[in-house]
Amino acid sequence: MDISAIKHRILAGGEITADEALALADPTPEVRKAMREVAAEITAAMGPRKFDSCSIINARSGRCPEDCKWCAQSAHYSTTIHSYPLVDRDTCMEMADYNRRAGIGRFSLVTSGRAVKGRDLDAICSYYSELREREPGMGLCASMGLLDREAMVRLREAGVHRYHCNMESCRSFFPTLCSTHTQEDKLEAIARAREAGMEICSGGIIGMGESMRQRVEFALELREISPVSIPINILQPIPGTPLEGAAPLDPEEYLDTVAIFRLVHPHAVLRFAGGRASLDAAIQRRALAIGINGAIMGDMLTTVGSQIAQDLEMVKEAGYTL
């Protein structure tokens, strides 16, 4: 494996081949070290240096008819998740204002369920229209499931410019995780969002029982849809879900995954997402060097102030601008 040749090809505008990427699924210690070093060089040279921070707000929680095995919000499983209908306008504005003041660059409403429609969609579009006027410097994103074409257009007209729909895992593994929708359903929703004029944010979860080779397959499959942002979540095993007994992910596997994703996606924002709390500060700093240049930060007005401040300080220490 000539990692140096791969590096120079990527820096010249080429790409790593599928065979080369798959060969990195089980690297020797020497190749692993070289792979991470090259990923860091490519991140510094080609990845966005303005750190992409976002805050996602759980705007409608629980009672979801889908049977995703990792998710506490599925109505198929007995969990302690707090279920509630769509948050009201004042709550939405308060949360957006809070995160903006804390230094977060993007704001996204996330809803449970297969898709948003009817009065909830009407309300959400009105929220985004107000946010567009109220927070002109904040990027507006949405994560609302498998919306139809009309709903995507309405979100874009309301001010949303980035749509999030995780593919979650590779084609060979996803059918073991969910039976109520397919990845083709997701791809069709992503195509509708793109046709409506929105950028795409799409990643997934690692540590659900997939192999490292399947993680590489997943990185390659995401290349087919070219998301500008790729959240790399780590499974948080939730009591009551089918994956509650999943073994913790080895932090070194996380670093390998980030490095491979950077080689496959040299220009994308690779994003810290769910499960990051399982990584200690040293691992997070290494991940920032290897390829992470975005993060989901904060939550619903609990103890996020100091956490956001700590995150932003760590990001600046890693050489990113905000």
Side-chain angles (χ1 to χ4, degrees):
M1 174 65 67
D2 189 345
I3 296 292
S4 180
I6 294 172
K7 177 186 74 172
H8 290 299
R9 188 190 321 137
I10 294 172
L11 290 174
E15 62 182 26
I16 188 171
T17 69
D19 287 343
E20 288 168 339
L22 289 167
L24 295 173
D26 186 24
T28 64
E30 293 78 13
V31 170
R32 172 176 286 110
K33 180 175 183 294
M35 174 178 72
R36 294 181 182 181
E37 290 174 350
V38 166
E41 289 185 58
I42 291 170
T43 298
M46 303 181 75
R49 301 307 296 172
K50 184 175 182 180
F51 199 80
D52 195 321
S53 61
C54 67
S55 176
I56 61 172
I57 301 303
N58 195 7
R60 188 180 72 184
S61 178
R63 306 188 188 96
C64 182
E66 307 302 298
D67 66 356
C68 308
K69 289 184 177 179
W70 63 85
C71 187
Q73 298 198 56
S74 172
H76 294 260
Y77 315 127
S78 178
T79 69
T80 59
I81 187 71
H82 179 42
S83 296
Y84 51 84
L86 185 70
V87 297
D88 60 29
R89 173 241 172 235
D90 289 347
T91 301
C92 176
M93 298 304 144
E94 181 182 9
M95 290 188 288
D97 289 347
Y98 178 86
N99 285 283
R100 180 62 173 164
R101 291 195 305 271
I104 302 299
R106 298 183 181 279
F107 180 75
S108 179
L109 298 177
V110 181
T111 56
S112 65
R114 185 177 181 89
V116 175
K117 58 185 69 173
R119 292 180 180 177
D120 278 0
L121 180 62
D122 293 340
I124 285 168
C125 288
S126 72
Y127 296 172
Y128 278 121
S129 293
E130 182 171 349
L131 285 169
R132 180 179 56 190
E133 302 299 323
R134 186 186 185 111
E135 306 284 358
M138 178 173 269
L140 299 180
C141 311
S143 181
M144 298 177 180
L146 308 176
L147 298 184
D148 62 23
R149 182 171 287 100
E150 179 185 358
M152 294 291 190
V153 170
R154 289 186 63 188
L155 283 178
R156 182 68 188 94
E157 291 175 345
V160 176
H161 77 277
R162 182 176 293 181
Y163 196 75
H164 168 262
C165 182
N166 273 349
M167 293 301 291
E168 304 299 2
S169 191
C170 66
R171 295 187 184 105
S172 66
F173 193 65
F174 183 82
T176 71
L177 299 170
C178 178
S179 68
T180 51
H181 62 265
T182 67
Q183 287 190 316
E184 186 58 37
D185 294 327
K186 290 175 174 289
L187 289 171
E188 290 172 359
I190 286 170
R192 291 192 291 270
R194 185 166 272 145
E195 288 167 3
M198 290 184 277
E199 298 176 340
I200 301 302
C201 175
S202 184
I205 308 172
I206 62 174
M208 296 192 289
E210 77 287 348
S211 66
M212 180 58 79
R213 181 181 176 88
Q214 287 173 315
R215 291 175 200 154
V216 180
E217 290 174 6
F218 183 42
L220 293 166
E221 290 165 10
L222 283 174
R223 189 160 69 180
E224 298 171 16
I225 60 174
S226 300
V228 298
S229 168
I230 303 175
I232 304 177
N233 296 269
I234 300 171
L235 178 70
Q236 297 174 284
I238 298 170
T241 65
L243 297 182
E244 64 178 335
L249 183 74
D250 184 338
E252 295 297 327
E253 286 190 39
Y254 179 80
L255 293 177
D256 285 348
T257 302
V258 170
I260 291 169
F261 268 67
R262 176 52 70 204
L263 296 181
V264 177
H265 299 274
H267 298 289
V269 171
L270 301 184
R271 191 177 298 280
F272 276 141
R276 175 164 60 114
S278 66
L279 305 173
D280 65 30
I283 292 292
Q284 291 188 41
R285 288 187 176 90
R286 290 169 66 189
L288 286 166
I290 289 171
I292 294 294
N293 53 359
I296 297 170
M297 300 177 180
D299 57 17
M300 295 181 67
L301 307 181
T302 55
T303 58
V304 301
S306 61
Q307 183 61 57
I308 290 176
Q310 292 168 9
D311 283 347
L312 295 179
E313 184 61 32
M314 180 173 64
V315 164
K316 287 190 287 185
E317 289 174 358
Y320 291 99
T321 58
L322 302 174

